Amino acid sequence: MALPATPHSPGRLVVVQPLKQKRCAACRRGPLSLLVLEDGAPRCLHCADLGHLVFLPRGDTALTRRSREESTLSAVVVRFNRRMGRYERQGVLVEEAALARAEARCLADAEARRRRRARDARRRAVEDERFAAAFAAEIRRLFPGCPAERARAIAAHASARGSGRVGRSAAGRALSEGAVISAVVAGVRHVDTPYDQLLMRGVPRQEARRRIGPAVERVLRAWQGAGTDVG
């Protein structure tokens, strides 16, 4: 059975992964895993002067692009997809030294990205620490009787990056009074009242909040009315 119509890639050499066993029309070597079509006849890579190239499978776009940039001679490798009725790219053939240089470039970039991620992580950690400290200070300003350790714990919980909690909202980032109070109320609700136990017993959330409301108010009033650092 004849091969499908010769694949075409303007300005590029094309090598085919055959679906059926083929032999080179020139040297009769075969079956061929890769071949070049010349005037419709299959040629092995050696007869087509491409035998010194190495195969790089598709999948790593940056490595493929750099390998082709580094390689004086390269070819696109394709295979016919019967279901789709077309040739599809499988990878490239490039010079072995070119592939090694491309891999070195990609590794250097990966290391640079790793260092940048590490720097960014350190920067974010410093920013988060400063913000949590500012949030805790605002808690202590609004609730001078709140123990320092509790203020720090509430601030850290409310401002955890990626948590979606009130400290990460626009109001929280601005240290608005409403956001800070909401964070404190949530902290008191979970730590100083049986709110969690009520939820575990199946009490609806709004009913549970209604029941523990007076206890929350007592803690808030005590913290607002005291001026002594008990932390």
Side-chain angles (χ1 to χ4, degrees):
M1 182 181 294
L3 286 164
T6 304
H8 181 59
S9 185
R12 298 180 182 178
L13 296 175
V14 177
V15 171
V16 177
Q17 285 183 346
L19 299 179
K20 294 184 176 296
Q21 293 186 355
K22 296 291 177 180
R23 291 185 176 275
C24 177
C27 69
R28 305 309 298 169
R29 181 183 290 126
L32 302 175
S33 59
L34 295 172
L35 60 84
V36 176
L37 290 172
E38 292 183 351
D39 298 325
R43 297 286 192 276
C44 69
L45 296 188
H46 292 286
C47 290
D49 295 329
L50 301 177
H52 63 295
L53 302 182
V54 295
F55 178 57
L56 173 62
R58 67 181 180 182
D60 190 326
T61 303
L63 182 58
T64 297
R65 173 175 53 80
R66 287 174 170 172
S67 295
R68 297 187 69 247
E69 290 172 354
E70 293 284 351
S71 190
T72 303
L73 182 65
S74 65
V76 177
V77 177
V78 299
R79 183 171 60 207
F80 191 73
N81 185 323
R82 287 197 182 101
R83 185 173 62 84
M84 302 300 294
R86 68 187 182 206
Y87 280 96
E88 296 179 339
R89 190 170 302 189
Q90 303 301 309
V92 294
L93 290 175
V94 294
E95 296 163 344
E96 189 168 6
L99 176 56
R101 291 192 295 270
E103 287 173 335
R105 289 172 60 186
C106 288
L107 285 173
D109 278 358
E111 176 61 20
R113 288 193 297 271
R114 186 195 65 77
R115 291 196 299 267
R116 184 169 62 248
R117 287 194 297 269
R119 289 195 302 270
D120 290 345
R122 289 193 295 269
R123 174 183 53 78
R124 288 192 297 269
V126 171
E127 290 174 353
D128 290 349
E129 185 176 348
R130 289 174 178 170
F131 176 65
F135 203 100
E138 187 64 10
I139 291 174
R140 296 297 305 285
R141 186 186 71 82
L142 295 173
F143 300 93
C146 176
E149 188 59 35
R150 282 294 303 278
R152 287 192 291 268
I154 292 170
H157 182 78
S159 62
R161 187 179 291 269
S163 66
R165 299 182 187 118
V166 66
R168 304 307 302 185
S169 66
R173 300 298 293 178
L175 296 177
S176 74
E177 184 171 307
V180 174
I181 292 174
S182 292
V184 173
V185 168
V188 170
R189 182 185 296 136
H190 289 287
V191 175
D192 299 287
T193 76
Y195 179 67
D196 293 348
Q197 291 90 328
L198 292 174
L199 294 181
M200 288 298 293
R201 295 209 310 260
V203 177
R205 182 171 59 87
Q206 291 301 328
E207 173 61 17
R209 288 192 175 193
R210 185 191 66 78
R211 292 187 190 180
I212 56 92
V216 172
E217 287 298 323
R218 283 195 297 272
V219 174
L220 295 184
R221 284 197 299 270
W223 285 357
Q224 285 174 326
T228 302
D229 184 355
V230 294

